[in-house]
Amino acid sequence: MKQIFVRPDRCMACKGCETACAVQHSADKTLFSAVLQSPPPMKRLFVEAAEGIRMPVICRHCEDAPCLRACISGCLYRDDHGFVRRRKERCIGCWTCIMLCPFGVITRDREKHIAVKCDRCHRLDVPACVNACPTRALVMAEPEEVAADRRQKAVRAESGG
Amino acid sequence: MSDQGKSTDSATLSAIGEARKAGIETVWDRYQAQVPQCGFGETGLCCRHCLQGPCRIDPFGEGARTGVCGADADVMVARGLSRAIAAGAASHGGHAKHLAHTLLKSAKGEAGDYPLKDEAKLRAVAGRIGIKTEGREAREIAVDVAEKALQEFSEKESPLVWAATTVTKGRVETFLKLGVVPQGIDSTVAESMHRTTYGVDADPVNILLGAVKCALADYAACHMATDIADILFGTPQPVVTRANLGVIKSDSVNIALHGHNPLLSDIIVQVAGEQEMNELAVAAGASGGINIVGVCCTGNEVMMRHRIPLATSSVSQETAILTGALDAMVVDYQCIMPALAGAAECYHTQLITTMPIAKIPNALHIGFSEAGARDCAKEIIRAATDAFKKRDPARINIPGISSAAFAGFSTEAILSALSLVDKDDPLKPITDNIASGNIYGVCLFAGCNNVKITQDANYTAMITELVKNNVLILATGCASGAFARHGFMTPEATEKYAGDGLKAVLTAVGQAAGLNGPLPLVLHMGSCVDNSRAADIAVAIADKLGVDLNMLPVVASAPEPVTEKAVAIGTWAVAAGLPTHLGIVPPVLGSRTVTEVLTSTAKELFGGYFIVETDPLKAAEKLLSVLGERRRGLGLGS
């Protein structure tokens, strides 16, 4: 199954992915109503930067997910597609998931007092963030394809090409 | 960002520490909240000029290659740059026009607070722009000068007088040949907006030539602003004052003047010096009376003409409030951060706006008019005195740091100092020493402080390298603020940092001028519109040597630029033939064509070109190498 992959060298830090994510998780799912919504909708991914690099940090929906294992109230679960999602009504706001997520992509909804995380836009064929990226810094690909591509690159690098 | 990454100035760092303790947000916090900034904006690859957009172009070639209309990266970047220059020219145009209206009112006797202070300058300007002066009253001449100035704004059938009469003949020919002669200041700004709107100019090089024309209109506006300010308030002469936050006094009513135009600030300084106002302050409990300090370019204007100390510069404007002892921050226009209102709210400081086009919510607005300038100034001083009464002594934290600063080296002042060395040929000491290599070249530092660069770091690193190699330094705007804060605008700095040749020249002129020591290491020429003064010096040297500006060993540098005005000034410096360094990468890298025109093709067309280098030591090295190249071109030793 295809996963979201990040190509940091392509990221322009325009934050279009962040905006699209928040809009997708708003009531009307349009930008113009989302910007007027109160409390405002929340994004689930974060464009971060360090010296010489900028990239969106996204939920990997890890196959052995620390957040899922840590969730004591049964809020987090893995759905039929393999996405780690929430049963919102079960979240008790203990934030153990935040503590354990290696990517720091789980945040707090300060109004509803529950954890907020990526749901991989499970109703959409292509997630909103990927769809919004103008430079294809976010792409959908099979992990096997990505690995094969990496192997090819490694070989080419070895041969000096 | 660590505090050390924010500023190299210890007074500013102390104020930043104070802000953190008090939980007050400053420009550095707001910048951090923006990082990472959008790469499309950084490279100039976004366009919002029509309602079919916004459009973006993928610089990596996988996504969109053009906007909806078909504009490619070159067109998009050229249009964006052109509009920035138009905004810069509109700002300097507004500044100059404001002064021209006041000159007209003054000449017609409708603005009693504005006498024609410098008649010699009035006559010199009038003579230059072709107005008869012989046997005429100053007022009559001033009416003509003001009217001619106001005519410069709309489209005429002839070139802008303030550009055509202040550059070399060679430049005029070059500008004519390339079709970049402006015929109106406002009309050229309007033309730039027209040609960059939906569906007009789609030739990137043509757009850029239009932008150069607009930049030359900016130059004319700057020159006009300098000329008229001198006529109304006096041509600056060297003064000694101090710079940095330590000039704010705990026992005084402290009023900071911030912005650009001397129209109100000069009057405030005059009125503040009067007994009545001083008594008001003393009666309020301020034993020191009234203490006026400057910020940014209006600070430069009153520093040059009235020895008013400079508290701080544009990027660090909030720090004046963070001393807890600033009673009023009075602003006119340009470079005034809206954030001042938030900082002022955290203290007793009264933020006062004065111009109809520049209001800030939660500030006190005291509307300025020429007819009632003195009354306006009095009202402002009273408001500051009222605020003083609300000052919380427990929150006063003035960093006790300031440096001496020699300021006010107008073109006239420099020539008059030089004439003490050689009465008949004042420029000879300069040209001879350029020829001998005692002066390797000249560098004009201009521009701002940019939050992306550790404040003043580029200025201080570059100047020490350049002067060691005998480069004569001129400075304007917030560049001079940087040098003043760090003690570079003093004779002591000349002793300490100048190479032997430069030191000998500055000492000879200083001795002749009766300073009993050298001239300061940096010749402070004024505010950012006063870059025109530096241009005058360069033109005089070129004319004296009988060459054009594009051959002189003269360079310009904006090591920490911020504003659209700086982009306009940088562009006219390039058009004037000067290699011009930028310490910040402008938003043009999305277009190879535009980047190449600015950094290379411009050299073939104008002689000047942009040198973009973010490392200050490498930048100094590049400028030295360019100066060497120019020297060899003139057959001088390098």
Side-chain angles (χ1 to χ4, degrees), chain B residues 579-598:
Chain B
T580 299
H581 162 247
L582 298 177
I584 285 276
V585 180
V588 300
L589 292 189
S591 161
R592 286 201 182 172
T593 305
V594 174
T595 304
E596 187 162 321
V597 168
L598 299 179

Side-chain angles (χ1 to χ4, degrees), chain B residues 393-587:
Chain B
R395 297 191 66 194
I396 298 179
N397 189 352
I398 307 170
I401 299 167
S402 69
S403 303
F406 287 55
F409 289 86
S410 58
T411 311
E412 290 85 346
I414 291 175
L415 290 176
S416 120
L418 291 171
S419 69
L420 296 168
V421 180
D422 190 327
K423 190 160 158 279
D424 301 321
D425 194 355
L427 280 172
K428 194 160 177 287
I430 293 287
T431 49
D432 281 359
N433 281 298
I434 289 176
S436 73
N438 278 336
I439 296 175
Y440 190 69
V442 180
C443 180
L444 164 66
F445 279 101
C448 332
N449 281 133
N450 187 313
V451 71
K452 295 176 182 174
I453 297 168
T454 308
Q455 187 187 21
D456 301 340
N458 283 3
Y459 286 108
T460 51
M462 287 180 72
I463 191 174
T464 39
E465 279 305 300
L466 293 177
V467 297
K468 195 166 74 188
N469 290 287
N470 300 308
V471 176
L472 178 66
I473 306 294
L474 311 176
T476 59
C478 284
S480 51
F483 293 136
R485 262 192 298 284
H486 293 274
F488 286 105
M489 272 167 36
T490 58
E492 290 74 26
T494 307
E495 303 278 10
K496 189 169 168 191
Y497 299 107
D500 291 341
L502 179 64
K503 197 182 292 178
V505 178
L506 292 175
T507 304
V509 181
Q511 294 286 10
L515 279 183
N516 206 18
L519 289 179
L521 185 63
V522 175
L523 298 181
H524 169 260
M525 302 202 79
S527 61
C528 43
V529 293
D530 291 334
N531 282 306
S532 63
R533 300 189 199 272
D536 285 349
I537 293 274
V539 168
I541 295 173
D543 286 344
K544 160 92 183 151
L545 292 174
V547 298
D548 196 3
L549 291 172
N550 60 352
M551 295 185 71
L552 288 187
V554 177
V555 293
S557 171
E560 307 179 15
V562 171
T563 62
E564 290 168 315
K565 294 178 292 172
V567 180
I569 292 171
T571 306
W572 65 249
V574 163
L578 308 187
T580 299
H581 162 247
L582 298 177
I584 285 276
V585 180

Side-chain angles (χ1 to χ4, degrees), chain A residues 7 9-16 47-49 54 132-136, chain B residues 33-40 42-43 45 56 58-60 62-64:
Chain A
R7 300 195 293 173
D9 56 326
R10 292 295 159 99
C11 179
M12 300 289 281
C14 70
K15 299 168 192 159
V47 177
E48 300 283 347
R54 37 196 183 182
C133 182
T135 58
R136 317 277 194 271
Chain B
Q34 287 293 335
V35 173
Q37 290 174 311
C38 174
F40 293 101
E42 286 181 334
T43 50
L45 288 176
R56 292 172 295 192
D58 177 3
F60 309 112
E62 283 189 49

Side-chain angles (χ1 to χ4, degrees), chain A residues 73-102:
Chain A
S73 66
C75 165
L76 294 180
Y77 71 103
R78 192 176 298 279
D79 75 5
D80 298 343
H81 303 290
F83 305 151
V84 179
R85 289 171 53 200
R86 299 171 301 164
R87 291 185 194 96
K88 280 180 267 190
E89 69 285 359
R90 292 206 188 176
C91 181
I92 57 169
C94 70
W95 319 127
T96 313
C97 52
I98 295 181
M99 192 158 63
L100 287 171
C101 173

Side-chain angles (χ1 to χ4, degrees), chain B residues 195-517:
Chain B
R195 71 198 295 168
T196 55
T197 195
Y198 181 64
V200 186
D201 205 345
D203 175 340
V205 176
N206 202 44
I207 294 171
L208 291 176
L209 286 172
V212 168
K213 178 157 85 170
C214 199
L216 290 172
D218 180 88
Y219 165 72
C222 287
H223 210 294
M224 182 192 293
T226 300
D227 286 345
I228 300 181
D230 283 357
I231 293 168
L232 289 173
F233 305 113
T235 302
Q237 293 298 320
V239 292
V240 187
T241 182
R242 298 196 74 79
N244 217 339
L245 291 172
V247 304
I248 293 173
K249 298 178 188 163
S250 59
D251 67 351
S252 305
V253 173
N254 293 298
I255 302 175
L257 305 177
H258 175 19
H260 285 76
N261 203 319
L263 273 177
L264 177 60
S265 52
D266 203 279
I267 303 288
I268 292 176
V269 172
Q270 294 172 33
V271 171
E274 292 169 7
Q275 187 67 17
E276 180 200 343
M277 290 292 124
N278 206 51
E279 278 167 10
L280 194 71
V282 173
S287 58
I290 293 167
N291 181 42
I292 305 274
V293 298
V295 177
C296 204
C297 273
T298 227
N300 276 311
E301 299 277 354
V302 291
M303 175 159 76
M304 291 189 295
R305 297 196 179 90
H306 299 283
R307 267 199 308 158
I308 295 298
L310 187 75
T312 187
S313 316
S314 59
V315 80
S316 47
Q317 54 191 271
E318 293 157 284
T319 61
I321 294 173
L322 292 166
T323 61
L326 189 68
D327 304 300
M329 171 76 90
V330 185
V331 302
D332 50 65
Y333 39 55
Q334 300 168 19
C335 302
I336 292 143
M337 291 187 195
L340 285 178
E345 268 180 1
C346 297
Y347 289 88
H348 72 292
T349 311
Q350 183 67 64
L351 177 65
I352 302 174
T353 54
T354 58
M355 295 293 160
I357 63 159
K359 295 186 178 180
I360 302 175
N362 297 328
L364 171 66
H365 186 75
I366 299 180
F368 164 78
S369 73
E370 288 92 339
R374 279 178 53 86
D375 294 337
C376 179
K378 283 185 183 175
E379 195 182 338
I380 285 167
I381 293 169
R382 278 193 208 102
T385 309
D386 287 345
F388 170 82
K389 294 175 195 160
K390 297 181 208 148
R391 199 194 274 181
D392 179 357
R395 297 191 66 194
I396 298 179
N397 189 352
I398 307 170
I401 299 167
S402 69
S403 303
F406 287 55
F409 289 86
S410 58
T411 311
E412 290 85 346
I414 291 175
L415 290 176
S416 120
L418 291 171
S419 69
L420 296 168
V421 180
D422 190 327
K423 190 160 158 279
D424 301 321
D425 194 355
L427 280 172
K428 194 160 177 287
I430 293 287
T431 49
D432 281 359
N433 281 298
I434 289 176
S436 73
N438 278 336
I439 296 175
Y440 190 69
V442 180
C443 180
L444 164 66
F445 279 101
C448 332
N449 281 133
N450 187 313
V451 71
K452 295 176 182 174
I453 297 168
T454 308
Q455 187 187 21
D456 301 340
N458 283 3
Y459 286 108
T460 51
M462 287 180 72
I463 191 174
T464 39
E465 279 305 300
L466 293 177
V467 297
K468 195 166 74 188
N469 290 287
N470 300 308
V471 176
L472 178 66
I473 306 294
L474 311 176
T476 59
C478 284
S480 51
F483 293 136
R485 262 192 298 284
H486 293 274
F488 286 105
M489 272 167 36
T490 58
E492 290 74 26
T494 307
E495 303 278 10
K496 189 169 168 191
Y497 299 107
D500 291 341
L502 179 64
K503 197 182 292 178
V505 178
L506 292 175
T507 304
V509 181
Q511 294 286 10
L515 279 183
N516 206 18

